[in-house]
Amino acid sequence: MAHKNMGQASFVEAFLRPDVGVNRRLERIDRMVEWAPLERLVKPVRSGAWGRPSYPPLAMLKAVFLQRWYSLSDEGLEEALSDRLSFRRFCGFALDDETPDAKTVCRFRLSLVEADLPERLFAELDRQLEAKGLFVKSGTLIPRVRPQAGPRASSMRA
């Protein structure tokens, strides 16, 4: 099945200030993650022979990651993708690109479940971030701090 052409910056975006719609955490995740292994896992999902062109599987996967990190419902994700420039950029949607509606998000997520992929996808993402000393917790990129052995409070007393 053909996929929608997406991601080419629109004419309007040339007039935006560089700081508009910036989310440094999402930009950092996007740079740090090697998306190719995740894209290979999700590529077969929703590749039917009929119907309108679908959204690229990687864009949809990134949307599902956002949904989980920010605890969004399908409707909440639809609204956020329509409203938040940082979410659009993370997923690869230009300003003038259509974004998936709640039903499309739901169908994609169910397709992931049918293909037994959610745990594998999140495990791969977590593995990559952990290898770089990071993890994501509810929309926040957090450095993984390893406890250091140090003197106990009782041994500090004189």
Side-chain angles (χ1 to χ4, degrees):
M1 174 178 231
H3 297 294
K4 294 178 185 259
N5 257 346
M6 293 181 4
Q8 184 173 351
S10 70
F11 181 69
V12 174
E13 290 179 66
F15 294 101
L16 294 176
R17 288 189 337 260
D19 63 331
V20 172
V22 171
N23 182 322
R24 299 205 192 298
R25 288 182 193 112
L26 290 179
E27 289 173 359
R28 188 172 177 198
I29 291 170
D30 201 31
R31 283 191 313 269
M32 295 180 88
V33 172
E34 184 184 335
W35 292 105
L38 292 162
E39 188 171 26
R40 278 192 299 275
L41 284 172
V42 79
K43 192 173 185 173
V45 174
R46 296 188 35 90
S47 58
W50 298 285
R52 297 181 347 190
S54 63
Y55 292 95
L58 184 59
M60 292 298 295
L61 177 62
K62 287 180 172 186
V64 169
F65 286 155
L66 289 172
Q67 184 177 34
R68 183 169 184 182
W69 296 334
Y70 288 89
S71 302
L72 298 170
S73 65
D74 294 337
E75 292 79 11
L77 180 61
E78 175 184 359
E79 185 175 311
L81 286 171
S82 178
D83 183 55
R84 293 186 64 174
L85 188 54
S86 61
F87 279 26
R88 292 178 80 93
R89 286 180 177 155
F90 180 75
C91 294
F93 298 113
L95 272 177
D96 58 349
D97 284 337
E98 268 185 54
T99 54
D101 62 14
K103 286 182 182 179
T104 303
V105 171
C106 181
R107 282 192 299 261
F108 180 78
R109 197 178 55 260
L110 291 174
S111 295
L112 291 177
V113 170
E114 287 173 15
D116 199 29
L117 286 174
E119 293 305 318
R120 291 171 51 197
L121 292 164
F122 280 99
E124 173 61 19
L125 180 67
D126 291 344
R127 183 196 65 74
Q128 286 191 39
L129 291 175
E130 189 168 312
K132 293 179 171 127
L134 302 168
F135 69 99
V136 178
K137 180 180 178 183
S138 297
T140 305
L141 185 64
I142 301 172
R144 186 170 297 279
V145 179
R146 290 184 170 66
Q148 297 179 357
R152 295 181 145 209
S154 59
S155 65
M156 300 279 289
R157 296 184 190 149

